[in-house]
Amino acid sequence: DTEVTQTPKHLVMGMTNKKSLKCEQHMGHRAMYWYKQKAKKPPELMFVYSYEKLSINESVPSRFSPECPNSSLLNLHLHALQPEDSALYLCASSQSSLRTDYYEQYFGPGTRLTVT
Amino acid sequence: GQNIDQPTEMTATEGAIVQINCTYQTSGFNGLFWYQQHAGEAPTFLSYNVLDGLEEKGRFSSFLSRSKGYSYLLLKELQMKDSASYLCAVSDNNDMRFGAGTRLTVKP
């Protein structure tokens, strides 16, 4: 199983809502990532979890809150988002974290988020 | 800081060979990756280089020169399904950054 799954596929939320994005992998990977991708732009790294601990926070606004309940699951909690946060949110996983050698990242299909 | 540059768009003919270049300036280096991304889909891994030289994988090859901060992705025997964006990504100890991507269009 080389699949990373993400739910929901699409999400529309208001600026006062609270929602969560979910990501799951069963490849035994110990590093998981959240990326944000705007249209026609490359993915931008938001968070990295290594062995279920947050190892990198790219100075992302606090309205985005990551959570890693166990090595297979990764959540991104959303609160009081802005319209400019509308984007494709990609989850990825790899065997090890950014600080070590070769680590092919497997991407999930993404959640397309629209903030109204 | 990091700079990763690649051409915005390229066009090639079915059956031909195309080379997509990537130059980078980074504070550290743990490896360079190439990903393919079709419109509306997630990126998929193509290749990884950490040492100088050529890595070959079927129709795809990737080359790295660390001293020049340069890589290229070579696609042979182009097929229509190869029309996609190709992303160059560089990792240092603390970060993974993607180039803006090269949109390749394969024409009959």
Side-chain angles (χ1 to χ4, degrees), chain B residues 19 21-24 32 63-66 68-72:
Chain B
Q19 178 175 311
N21 296 325
C22 172
T23 57
Y24 64 91
L32 186 143
F63 171 84
L64 176 67
S65 168
R66 288 172 298 171
K68 295 180 179 178
Y70 167 70
S71 173
Y72 68 72

Side-chain angles (χ1 to χ4, degrees), chain A residues 17-72:
Chain A
N17 291 158
K18 286 185 181 180
K19 297 286 184 183
S20 296
L21 309 184
K22 297 185 184 301
C23 174
E24 190 168 0
Q25 57 86 15
H26 295 286
M27 294 178 277
H29 289 172
R30 302 311 302 267
M32 296 186 77
Y33 311 80
W34 279 116
Y35 287 88
K36 173 183 177 181
Q37 187 173 25
K38 303 281 274 186
K40 299 186 179 180
K41 297 288 186 183
E44 296 176 12
L45 185 63
M46 298 174 73
F47 300 104
V48 178
Y49 272 87
S50 179
Y51 291 84
E52 298 146 58
K53 292 186 179 177
L54 183 62
S55 63
I56 298 174
N57 178 339
E58 293 285 300
S59 301
V60 176
S62 59
R63 57 186 184 267
F64 296 92
S65 174
E67 178 196 18
C68 191
N70 61 55
S71 60
S72 299

Side-chain angles (χ1 to χ4, degrees), chain B residues 19-24 29 31-34 47-57 60-75 88-90:
Chain B
Q19 178 175 311
I20 302 174
N21 296 325
C22 172
T23 57
Y24 64 91
F29 185 80
L32 186 143
F33 299 77
W34 284 95
S47 70
Y48 168 76
N49 295 73
V50 68
L51 299 176
D52 290 352
L54 188 68
E55 295 284 339
E56 297 187 78
K57 255 184 158 185
F60 296 86
S61 303
S62 57
F63 171 84
L64 176 67
S65 168
R66 288 172 298 171
S67 61
K68 295 180 179 178
Y70 167 70
S71 173
Y72 68 72
L73 178 70
L74 194 70
L75 294 80
C88 172
V90 175

Side-chain angles (χ1 to χ4, degrees), chain B residues 75-92:
Chain B
L75 294 80
K76 303 176 186 175
E77 301 169 15
L78 281 173
Q79 302 175 7
M80 299 299 291
K81 67 178 182 180
D82 296 329
S83 293
S85 285
Y86 291 85
L87 303 168
C88 172
V90 175
S91 171
D92 66 13

Side-chain angles (χ1 to χ4, degrees), chain A residues 35 37 40-43 45 56 58 88 90 98-105 107-109 112, chain B residues 30 33 35 37 40-43 45 48 87 91-101 103:
Chain A
Y35 287 88
Q37 187 173 25
K40 299 186 179 180
K41 297 288 186 183
L45 185 63
I56 298 174
E58 293 285 300
L88 180 68
L90 293 163
L98 294 174
R99 291 189 172 85
T100 63
D101 290 337
Y102 176 71
Y103 54 92
E104 172 184 346
Q105 291 191 11
F107 283 84
R112 190 159 299 280
Chain B
N30 266 4
F33 299 77
Y35 284 84
Q37 187 172 27
E41 298 182 12
F45 171 81
Y48 168 76
L87 303 168
S91 171
D92 66 13
N93 285 334
N94 296 306
D95 203 356
M96 174 82 153
R97 291 194 187 272
F98 286 79
R103 194 173 302 111

